């Protein structure tokens, strides 16, 4: 009836629907694949899910959208430039918009904040005082990120980000860790109880993201295609990969390859320039961000995939999404020897000594000469992704974390109009 209000109950009439608000600052949604998988998992479990995030530049540009039942509220945000002062401007703007949009969403049972930065505990605390429970989804260890990205040592800003991390841990009712290394940090550095920290690994959606027939023309006339996928920031090792490719050419005499670097980031322009200085412009292609369909084409055609993240305080304990996506596509991987890289890839990768570009190039050359080994490694990767590293395991952990967060918590009472069946904006 016109003017009638009720709970938007999608849980089979069992009472008012639980409401979750997910806060994201560093990527738009649904472009942030981990967050989108969390959103759809919660939605399928009967939660009403809202997201506050920045707008994308080429996609996710609408201020408001309802996609597959998830309500997304986006704000304009200009990425940081100019060092720490730029980040202060970015984060200050993000916090203001986050609070503004969270007020519009209204009361929720769970506020779920995804770092970086470790500043989203501020709006989460404000919402806790209004009855929400706080789930902290720790995507990055920000103190280690600071050390790895800025090379400034344990200075005043480092001590500040450590303090913000402590405040975030202290405010959280439940913490989601992306791997066991991050869980150990939450227990040791955050002082949390083991029962309050849940490992929710990132994992590709194998129903959406899967191999397609290879397209030899992507190799630009060369016998082999090498592929890098991911963010291009100062700590991501694209410079290591480029220098390794120069050594592959100069020290191993290999020019029988074309390389594609897919992705964007703060260091994109610098990496294109470095490629030119190394004389690689004719063999290395930078695509920027591409649609998933194009990404699947490149990865399905690649002979070897590159994971050149150097060993530093962050990378050694972080799970690299690129590694998981290479494995879905059945591609062999060359990586530096990092603790969590071995946990993720196992025998689907070969490992060069940390930060040794010559050894990295040698491993690439060896795989190019051994198609049977490439096939064996690719099969191992697909089996791991379909088994112990699959998203279904993370789904169970995510829902268990939410159950723990709202245990003995009375659902929020929010009256709002019943949906009228209008088509959602996309």
């Amino acid at each position: 009836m016109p003017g009638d209000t009720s709970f938007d109950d999608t849980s089979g009439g069992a009472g008012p629907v639980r409401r979750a608000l997910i806060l994201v600052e560093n990527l738009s949604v649904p472009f942030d694949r981990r967050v989108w998988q969390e959103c759809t998992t919660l939605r399928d479990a009967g939660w009403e899910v809202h997201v506050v995030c920045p707008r994308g530049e080429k996609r996710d540009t609408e201020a408001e959208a309802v996609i597959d039942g998830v309500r997304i509220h986006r704000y304009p945000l200009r990425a940081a430039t100019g060092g720490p002062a730029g980040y202060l401007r970015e984060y200050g703007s993000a916090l203001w918009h986050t609070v503004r949009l969270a007020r519009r969403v209204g009361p929720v049972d769970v506020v779920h904040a995804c770092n970086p930065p470790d500043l989203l505990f501020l709006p989460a605390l404000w919402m806790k005082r209004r009855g929400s429970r706080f789930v902290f989804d720790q995507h990055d260890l920000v103190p280690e990120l600071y050390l790895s990205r800025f090379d400034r040592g344990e200075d005043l800003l480092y001590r500040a980000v450590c303090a913000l991390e402590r405040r975030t841990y202290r405010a959280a009712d439940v913490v989601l860790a992306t791997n066991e290394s991050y869980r150990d940090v939450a227990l040791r550095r955050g002082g949390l109880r083991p029962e309050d920290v849940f490992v929710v690994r990132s994992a590709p959606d194998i129903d959406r993201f899967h191999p397609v027939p290879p397209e030899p023309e992507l190799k630009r006339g060369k016998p082999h295609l090498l592929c890098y996928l991911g963010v291009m920031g100062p700590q991501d090792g694209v410079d290591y990969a480029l220098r390794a490719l120069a050594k592959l050419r100069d020290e191993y005499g290999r020019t029988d390859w074309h390389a594609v670097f897919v992705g964007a980031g703060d260091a994109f322009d610098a990496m294109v320039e470095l490629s030119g200085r190394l004389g690689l412009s004719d063999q290395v292609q930078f695509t920027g961000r591409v649609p998933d369909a194009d990404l699947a084409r490149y990865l399905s055609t690649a002979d070897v995939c590159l994971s050149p993240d150097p060993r530093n305080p962050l990378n050694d304990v972080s799970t690299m999404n690129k590694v998981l996506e290479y494995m879905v596509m059945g591609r062999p991987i060359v990586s530096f020897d990092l603790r969590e890289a071995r946990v993720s890839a196992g025998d689907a990768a070969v490992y060069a000594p940390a930060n040794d570009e010559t050894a990295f190039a040698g491993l690439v050359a060896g795989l190019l000469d051994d198609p049977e080994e490439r096939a064996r490694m690719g099969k191992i990767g697909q089996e791991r992704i379909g088994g112990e590293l699959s998203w279904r395991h993370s789904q169970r952990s995510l829902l268990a974390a939410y159950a723990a967060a709202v245990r003995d918590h009375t659902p929020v009472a929010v009256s709002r109009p019943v949906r009228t069946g209008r088509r959602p904006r996309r």
Side-chain angles (χ1 to χ4, degrees):
M1 294 176 59
D4 186 25
T5 61
S6 69
F7 292 111
D8 186 8
D9 190 353
T10 59
S11 58
V17 173
R18 293 282 194 180
R19 306 180 83 222
L21 172 60
I22 301 180
L23 309 179
V24 189
E25 192 278 340
N26 65 333
L27 286 176
S28 63
V29 174
F31 181 72
D32 188 318
R33 291 172 180 155
R34 173 186 171 88
V35 172
W36 185 244
Q37 286 174 302
E38 291 173 331
C39 290
T40 55
T41 295
L42 292 167
R43 176 207 62 199
D44 292 345
W47 285 74
E48 179 187 309
V49 183
H50 293 256
V51 180
V52 170
C53 66
R55 297 181 193 174
E57 294 183 359
K58 296 182 180 179
R59 57 179 292 178
D60 302 341
T61 57
E62 290 183 296
E64 301 281 340
V66 179
I67 302 177
D68 296 339
V70 176
R71 298 157 173 83
I72 305 174
H73 315 264
R74 304 190 185 107
Y75 54 85
L77 186 65
R78 186 169 63 182
T81 57
Y87 283 93
L88 289 175
R89 287 191 297 271
E90 175 189 333
Y91 295 156
S93 174
L95 284 174
W96 184 83
H97 284 295
T98 296
V99 171
R100 173 179 64 85
L101 292 172
R103 288 171 62 91
R104 182 182 301 175
V105 171
V108 295
D109 297 281
V110 168
V111 54
H112 174 153
C114 307
N115 82 331
D118 284 343
L119 288 169
L120 294 178
F121 78 92
L122 294 169
L125 275 178
W126 170 71
M127 298 180 75
K128 279 192 71 170
R129 296 190 185 104
R130 287 155 178 78
S132 301
R133 298 294 174 88
F134 175 27
V135 171
F136 173 41
D137 192 351
Q138 191 163 27
H139 292 190
D140 282 309
L141 300 176
V142 175
E144 283 79 2
L145 176 61
Y146 179 84
L147 291 174
S148 303
R149 187 179 181 93
F150 295 110
D151 195 26
R152 295 165 59 104
E154 297 184 3
D155 62 359
L156 180 62
L157 283 174
Y158 171 78
R159 294 194 292 275
V161 297
C162 289
L164 291 173
E165 182 189 69
R166 287 194 298 271
R167 291 292 304 275
T168 302
Y169 281 138
R170 192 178 307 147
D173 296 294
V174 164
V175 171
L176 309 183
T178 57
N179 58 40
E180 291 291 345
S181 294
Y182 277 33
R183 184 175 188 271
D184 289 345
V185 170
L187 299 177
R188 173 175 45 83
R189 202 156 74 197
L192 285 117
R193 302 182 305 170
E195 60 267 31
D196 293 331
V197 186
F198 295 77
V199 175
V200 179
R201 291 184 172 276
S202 298
D205 181 352
I206 59 178
D207 294 327
R208 177 194 61 81
F209 193 63
H210 50 76
V212 298
E215 300 180 27
E217 60 270 22
L218 296 178
K219 299 184 180 186
R220 300 281 182 93
K222 299 289 187 175
H224 303 295
L225 181 67
L226 310 178
C227 192
Y228 170 89
L229 161 66
V231 176
M232 299 186 188
Q235 76 278 6
D236 293 307
V238 178
D239 54 333
Y240 284 80
L242 291 172
R243 290 190 293 267
L245 292 182
K247 291 178 184 293
L248 181 63
R249 176 196 62 198
D250 299 337
E251 299 184 20
Y252 291 89
R254 301 296 294 261
T255 59
D256 56 343
W257 51 270
H258 176 67
V260 175
F261 284 68
V262 180
D266 297 352
F268 181 87
D269 292 338
M271 294 302 100
V272 174
E273 181 184 357
L274 176 60
S275 177
R277 291 204 310 271
L278 293 170
L280 293 170
S281 297
D282 291 340
Q283 283 189 265
V284 174
Q285 173 188 357
F286 290 87
T287 68
R289 288 176 177 164
V290 300
D292 287 348
D294 289 335
L295 175 58
R297 292 169 56 231
Y298 285 120
L299 292 182
S300 296
T301 306
D303 296 285
V304 175
C305 286
L306 311 177
S307 185
D309 308 85
R311 179 181 291 169
N312 59 37
L314 178 69
N315 290 344
D316 195 41
V317 295
S318 296
T319 300
M320 305 301 173
N321 288 335
K322 68 172 76 67
V323 169
L324 304 174
E325 294 182 333
Y326 296 158
M327 292 163 66
V328 167
M329 295 298 183
R331 301 300 95 186
I333 303 161
V334 177
S335 172
F336 288 124
D337 194 358
L338 308 178
R339 184 194 319 174
E340 284 294 333
R342 283 188 176 273
V343 170
S344 295
D347 291 337
V350 289
Y351 303 92
N355 309 352
D356 186 334
E357 296 158 359
T358 300
F360 193 99
L363 291 175
V364 172
L367 286 177
L368 293 182
D369 289 334
D370 195 342
E372 292 183 359
E373 179 67 1
R374 296 201 305 265
R376 185 189 71 84
M377 292 169 61
K379 183 178 180 181
I380 290 172
Q382 287 182 317
E383 290 173 348
R384 289 175 64 81
I385 285 292
E388 60 191 285
L389 300 179
S390 71
W391 178 245
R392 64 178 177 271
H393 294 299
S394 293
Q395 285 179 311
R396 290 195 288 267
S397 187
L398 173 66
L399 295 177
Y402 263 65
V406 299
R407 190 172 293 121
D408 303 322
H409 177 260
T410 302
V412 297
V414 180
S415 293
R416 55 194 180 278
V418 175
R419 287 197 299 266
T420 61
R422 290 181 299 175
R423 292 183 64 186
R425 296 173 61 195
R426 294 181 182 269

